[in-house]
Amino acid sequence: MCLSIPVRIESIEGSEAVVSINGAAYKAGIHLIDNPQVGDYVLLHAGFAIQKISDHEARETLELIKQMKSPF
Amino acid sequence: MKYVHEYRNKELSQKLINKIHHSAKGKYTFMEVCGGHTMAIQKFGIPSLLPPKIKLLSGPGCPVCVTEKSYIDTAIAYARLSNTIIATFGDLMRIPGSTSSLELEKARGSDVTIVLSALEALKIAQNKPDKKIIFLAIGFETTAPGSAVAVVQASKARVKNFFILSAHKLMPPAMKAIVDEGVKIDGYICPGHVSTITGSAIYDDIARKYSLPCVISGFEPLDLLQTILALVHQVNEKHSTVEIQYARAVQPNGNPKAKAIMKQIFCETDSEWRGMGNIPKSKLVLSEKYQQYDAEKMIPVDVEPTISDKGCICGEILKGLKTPLDCKLFGSGCTPENPEGACMVSGEGACQAYYRYQSQTEIT
Amino acid sequence: MNDYIRPGHGSGGKLMHELIHDIFFRHFGHHELKKGSDSALLQSNGHRLAFTTDSFVVNPLFFPGGDIGKLAVCGTVNDLAVCGAIPQYLSAGFILEEGFSIAELEKIVISMAREAKNSGVNIVTGDTKVVHKGMADKLFINTSGIGYIPEYAGSFANNRKIKKGDVLIINGTLGDHAIAVLSEREDLPFQSTIKSDCACLNHLIHSLLEKKLHIKFMRDLTRGGLATCLNEIAQAQAIDIEINETRIPVKASVEGICETLGFDPLYLANEGKVVIIVSAEDASEVIETLKADDLGKESTIIGKVTSENGKKVIAESAIGGKRLLQMRTGEQLPRIC
């Protein structure tokens, strides 16, 4: 359901932020997230930032797979 | 793209695939509730990489597919009113109502415009004060907070010509309904983006009462493979707990701000789901305080009687009882160009995903 | 609902193919038409000619990287060039809506003249019609083109046999035109620097043909995108094709917009891209030749022919999974789910 991709906050004006999606700019609503900062990566869905991406968790997930022992 | 391409790594995928092959002992049937997962699974060709004993079923998590036909008929009736603009996500344009679709109404001269966000619909209302703007508010918990924001903004700016026609649905009641229906599954691949809003507690009941493993998954191949592996492990160890695979985006308590605004604006009500029947407390409608933005309450309209789907088994597909390949209409009487049921219209409907991407038999 | 013309009937996908087969081929019926190639190949007094036509209805008329006039010249020139012909003469028919600005019309005509000069064709005949306000959207252009097939392209035009192991090459990134046009429309609020790839490919293509490389087939990509084009080729030539998705060139910003709106770049329109099928041994020389031209800088192998008896197009994903690629069905609409 809910198509959503990570975008970077480039600038903030009131309750709107210019976000960049690989260089394409879009004005997104940031009403739904706490304390948005320039440089944050957020999930964009239907015009709104709906959640911040945790860089720590993002690495952790990959690390877990990298550390996994091969069964063979 | 950051946080996207890393999760499409072939080497790491292979590692997970090997591990899944190694760990899979018996037979497993998992349901991906979310249509976005269905799309990703097909797009990346995941079924062709899994052992045949793992079967993936598509669930009811495509909001367009489960939107009741009478809703489309109502939207079409509104589109035919003069001085009215229908603002909709592109998803709904081609969904067949009883006798027409929004795309066809637009071709016949109705003012139907595609928006990417509820706020865009509100802006149209502010720019065209002499028109009534009806925003077709579809989607699950992920999308509903955006509609709520638009209503709050409309209220603050005292906009009088902005209305929503809500078909916002809730995920957990449908997931429970599926199990109550008797569908045999061994675990749920839980919707990642719904969970960014709701958090993980909404699945606790399903894991506990129904003893079903639940893993909240992201949408990239590594996410899905890791989720499938986690489900296999839970089944093997006879566990049924809620795990968050998509930890980079899902907090256990979700997004409190989004939950608060939803609670402020909406209340729960029973609702029809296309093909699934009535599910208690599964829909969000505007609460009494915000009724002046409720299209159905404020703008009376005559809706044509709904004609039920003939021969289409979307309902059983949505419930996971059948796959698109079981449908007589699939590929012949029902194609994305001439869809019969909603599952073929929506880009993430199970039937369209099968039609576009699959056919394992044809590939091998 | 099936008895009316819908947008999908003009979108270069499956519906349009059905319309062409069920209505036009059925009643016009000439064997040359029924081949369904980009241009008709005709014999006249021992000379081999290619003849084609195309209509242009883009909205907006002006977009980053081009305008409807440039498109009208390039589209027809490319249809001739991919058949191995040297484009020579074009016609230009204009359907104008009452009230359309003459200054804008002139801008478009200047752009057509410039593009014709660059590609070496002459616009030698034309037609003008004006319809009442509301009966057309500002301006529609039709161009027809004629070209001759030089000796050295003769064997190419005769359609060499495509073999298992032949490779598919594309001359650059996908979807630039579609996204440039969409971002120019008010209803798609993205800001980007993406320009349409709209270009005449005849010089690029002839630099290949002159070298007498083993080119088996060429087709320029248009509205239906790469996936639709490959399906057309697979069906017409009775071959199976397999492409590798990680090798398909797509600009980062185009990819980003696609991911946001739920578009698949394999189904987006292009106006300056050609798919070339060539024997594996000549592939590197073809790429080298293409890269020497500005329009082929990002040329790359995207896949191969896997069977001489089939009709399927398969895509291998980033993680090695396989899926079937179908023709485009209708226009892609931005979606939230």
Side-chain angles (χ1 to χ4, degrees):
Chain A
M1 73 207 76
C2 318
L3 199 66
S4 180
I5 60 151
V7 300
R8 186 180 184 274
I9 296 182
E10 300 293 335
S11 64
I12 295 173
E13 199 177 310
S15 55
E16 284 193 321
V18 173
V19 298
S20 157
I21 311 144
N22 266 7
Y26 177 79
K27 253 190 196 167
I30 45 173
H31 315 70
L32 299 171
I33 48 171
D34 278 323
N35 192 24
Q37 299 290 327
V38 170
D40 281 350
Y41 276 82
V42 291
L43 279 175
L44 177 71
H45 170 73
F48 290 91
I50 55 166
Q51 186 61 275
K52 284 188 195 177
I53 306 263
S54 153
D55 185 63
H56 171 74
E57 293 290 355
R59 286 166 204 260
E60 197 88 329
T61 302
L62 287 174
E63 212 40 50
L64 214 68
I65 304 171
K66 283 180 192 158
Q67 307 280 322
M68 210 172 59
K69 283 198 193 81
S70 170
F72 306 116
Chain B
M1 295 177 81
K2 202 173 175 191
Y3 303 120
V4 174
H5 284 282
E6 307 94 290
Y7 300 89
R8 295 180 184 173
N9 182 298
K10 192 171 181 177
E11 216 177 303
L12 295 181
S13 299
Q14 199 50 53
K15 231 174 150 181
L16 286 167
I17 292 161
N18 289 345
K19 192 94 179 171
I20 291 170
H21 277 263
H22 182 75
S23 305
K25 309 255 188 270
K27 281 189 174 178
Y28 308 81
T29 304
F30 302 128
M31 176 177 275
E32 83 272 3
V33 181
C34 171
H37 283 148
T38 306
M39 282 307 260
I41 286 165
Q42 300 297 343
K43 186 175 168 198
F44 289 99
I46 288 177
S48 70
L49 302 168
L50 292 178
K53 43 190 160 182
I54 297 182
K55 202 171 138 199
L56 299 178
L57 279 181
S58 309
C62 156
V64 169
C65 302
V66 297
T67 296
E68 60 278 27
K69 213 171 184 179
S70 58
Y71 178 88
I72 305 291
D73 291 338
T74 308
I76 287 168
Y78 279 130
R80 289 174 180 163
L81 297 181
S82 56
N83 270 328
T84 306
I85 299 175
I86 301 292
T88 177
F89 296 128
D91 312 57
L92 279 181
M93 283 302 277
R94 299 195 181 113
I95 306 294
S98 292
T99 59
S100 182
S101 69
L102 289 166
E103 185 179 63
L104 204 62
E105 292 305 309
K106 186 180 161 80
R108 286 181 181 152
S110 288
D111 203 340
V112 180
T113 179
I114 293 179
V115 293
L116 304 184
S117 138
L119 286 182
E120 246 178 77
L122 178 60
K123 275 179 200 154
I124 297 174
Q126 286 170 305
N127 291 336
K128 297 185 177 173
D130 52 329
K131 303 259 187 190
K132 286 177 180 152
I133 313 307
I134 301 176
F135 172 62
L136 304 185
I138 58 155
F140 294 103
E141 289 92 332
T142 328
T143 322
S147 302
V149 169
V151 171
V152 170
Q153 299 293 326
S155 164
K156 274 188 191 158
R158 298 180 187 282
V159 179
K160 302 245 183 288
N161 61 328
F162 174 76
F163 304 91
I164 73 167
L165 182 62
S166 176
H168 283 309
K169 297 265 200 295
L170 298 172
M171 207 65 260
M175 290 171 70
K176 284 179 195 160
I178 281 170
V179 194
D180 288 335
E181 193 82 30
V183 179
K184 293 268 180 295
I185 54 172
D186 303 302
Y188 271 128
I189 299 174
C190 296
H193 291 140
V194 161
S195 309
T196 61
I197 304 290
T198 61
S200 58
I202 58 166
Y203 311 112
D204 285 350
D205 244 18
I206 295 166
R208 205 180 316 120
K209 279 196 203 151
Y210 298 86
S211 301
L212 275 179
C214 289
V215 180
I216 299 169
S217 178
F219 294 79
E220 298 303 331
L222 284 189
D223 294 322
L224 284 156
L225 291 168
Q226 198 179 31
T227 296
I228 291 166
L229 181 62
L231 285 169
V232 167
H233 281 158
Q234 281 208 40
V235 174
N236 288 354
E237 285 150 31
K238 298 198 165 57
H239 280 180
S240 57
T241 56
V242 181
E243 285 180 62
I244 304 176
Q245 181 281 331
Y246 198 25
R248 61 187 182 278
V250 177
Q251 309 289 327
N253 65 340
N255 178 336
K257 216 170 168 180
K259 285 199 275 192
I261 196 166
M262 270 161 73
K263 207 167 174 193
Q264 178 193 340
I265 302 297
F266 294 115
C267 55
E268 292 172 8
T269 177
D270 300 353
S271 171
E272 276 301 307
W273 288 51
R274 195 169 188 160
M276 293 184 65
N278 191 64
I279 302 178
K281 294 202 169 171
S282 64
K283 179 178 168 176
L284 295 173
V285 288
L286 288 175
S287 59
E288 234 174 85
K289 199 182 153 202
Y290 293 94
Q291 281 197 0
Q292 69 176 106
Y293 301 102
D294 190 333
E296 282 180 294
K297 296 269 162 53
M298 304 306 288
I299 311 171
V301 69
D302 284 330
V303 182
E304 60 184 333
T306 299
I307 302 168
S308 61
D309 298 324
K310 270 190 229 106
C312 167
I313 61 163
C314 274
E316 281 151 293
I317 293 169
L318 290 171
K319 284 184 262 186
L321 294 169
K322 293 199 169 147
T323 77
L325 302 176
D326 296 322
C327 183
K328 273 190 295 198
L329 302 174
F330 181 78
S332 51
C334 181
T335 60
E337 306 84 70
N338 291 311
E340 196 61 38
C343 298
M344 187 60 97
V345 184
S346 166
E348 64 165 25
C351 294
Q352 193 177 120
Y354 266 69
Y355 186 89
R356 291 213 339 225
Y357 293 137
Q358 216 187 351
S359 217
Q360 286 311 308
T361 46
E362 278 190 62
I363 289 175
T364 46
Chain C
M1 265 173 79
N2 305 335
D3 299 325
Y4 300 94
I5 293 292
R6 290 177 270 151
H9 282 112
S11 71
K14 211 165 172 178
L15 274 182
M16 194 175 97
H17 281 85
E18 284 172 14
L19 187 73
I20 289 173
H21 279 267
D22 297 350
I23 305 290
F24 298 125
F25 284 4
R26 195 171 125 212
H27 295 289
F28 293 148
H30 192 278
H31 59 88
E32 189 55 41
L33 175 70
K34 282 182 165 174
K35 283 183 192 159
S37 60
D38 293 291
S39 298
L41 299 180
L42 310 167
Q43 294 279 353
S44 174
N45 271 342
H47 296 286
R48 303 193 60 201
L49 299 177
F51 177 43
T52 192
T53 189
D54 210 339
S55 301
F56 299 85
V57 295
V58 65
N59 170 32
L61 297 176
F62 299 90
F63 47 82
D67 55 69
I68 189 171
K70 186 177 178 188
L71 271 185
V73 172
C74 295
T76 294
V77 162
N78 291 345
D79 279 350
L80 292 170
V82 292
C83 293
I86 308 251
Q88 285 191 294
Y89 300 109
L90 255 53
S91 71
F94 293 86
I95 296 173
L96 301 161
E97 185 188 13
E98 176 187 22
F100 183 60
S101 144
I102 291 184
E104 288 210 344
L105 174 64
E106 190 172 11
K107 257 170 90 178
I108 289 163
V109 171
I110 288 170
S111 163
M112 287 178 80
R114 190 192 310 124
E115 206 50 39
K117 191 165 180 233
N118 288 346
S119 61
V121 296
N122 291 296
I123 297 172
V124 291
T125 183
D127 178 51
T128 310
K129 294 282 183 294
V130 176
V131 297
H132 288 302
K133 197 151 188 69
M135 306 301 282
D137 187 9
K138 299 190 194 89
L139 161 73
F140 300 151
I141 302 177
N142 170 276
T143 54
S144 293
I146 201 155
Y148 72 97
I149 294 171
E151 192 97 358
Y152 59 80
S155 62
F156 165 72
N158 283 341
N159 238 339
R160 289 165 196 267
K161 178 84 183 116
I162 298 175
K163 290 210 171 72
K164 186 175 169 179
D166 286 350
V167 300
L168 283 84
I169 292 170
I170 188 127
N171 65 315
T173 52
L174 292 187
D176 301 0
H177 176 71
I179 298 297
V181 168
L182 278 176
S183 351
E184 195 60 23
R185 288 194 198 156
E186 275 174 38
D187 49 356
L188 206 62
F190 281 93
Q191 289 198 322
S192 76
T193 53
I194 301 160
K195 285 198 174 112
S196 166
D197 59 346
C198 171
C200 285
L201 298 170
N202 55 325
H203 298 312
L204 177 79
I205 287 170
H206 281 278
S207 66
L208 289 177
L209 292 177
E210 274 166 358
K211 290 197 169 173
K212 301 197 174 170
L213 298 161
H214 287 91
I215 291 173
K216 308 286 184 84
F217 191 87
M218 289 186 282
R219 175 156 280 187
D220 60 324
L221 303 185
T222 50
R223 284 159 299 169
L226 179 69
T228 305
C229 176
L230 294 181
N231 269 285
E232 287 167 354
I233 297 174
Q235 279 171 23
Q237 307 290 323
I239 53 174
D240 281 343
I241 292 171
E242 192 166 314
I243 59 167
N244 189 323
E245 279 196 275
T246 53
R247 308 199 63 160
I248 308 266
V250 179
K251 286 198 174 76
S253 49
V254 170
E255 188 198 9
I257 291 175
C258 282
E259 294 273 352
T260 315
L261 301 178
F263 291 168
D264 186 339
L266 296 178
Y267 292 91
L268 290 180
N270 306 275
E271 291 291 347
K273 292 290 150 20
V274 57
V275 178
I276 300 164
I277 303 184
V278 62
S279 64
E281 60 265 29
D282 280 0
S284 54
E285 203 182 340
V286 166
I287 292 206
E288 215 174 283
T289 310
L290 289 171
K291 283 191 169 172
D293 192 305
D294 273 348
L295 297 173
K297 285 268 174 287
E298 289 167 276
S299 296
T300 181
I301 294 176
I302 54 167
K304 57 181 186 289
V305 175
T306 52
S307 162
E308 289 164 32
N309 187 9
K311 60 173 182 173
K312 295 193 297 285
V313 183
I314 304 246
E316 187 180 323
S317 75
I319 60 160
K322 290 187 179 177
R323 61 161 165 148
L324 199 62
L325 275 189
Q326 307 265 11
M327 276 196 184
R328 169 164 144 178
T329 55
E331 274 179 286
Q332 298 193 90
L333 298 175
R335 54 190 177 88
I336 57 142
C337 64

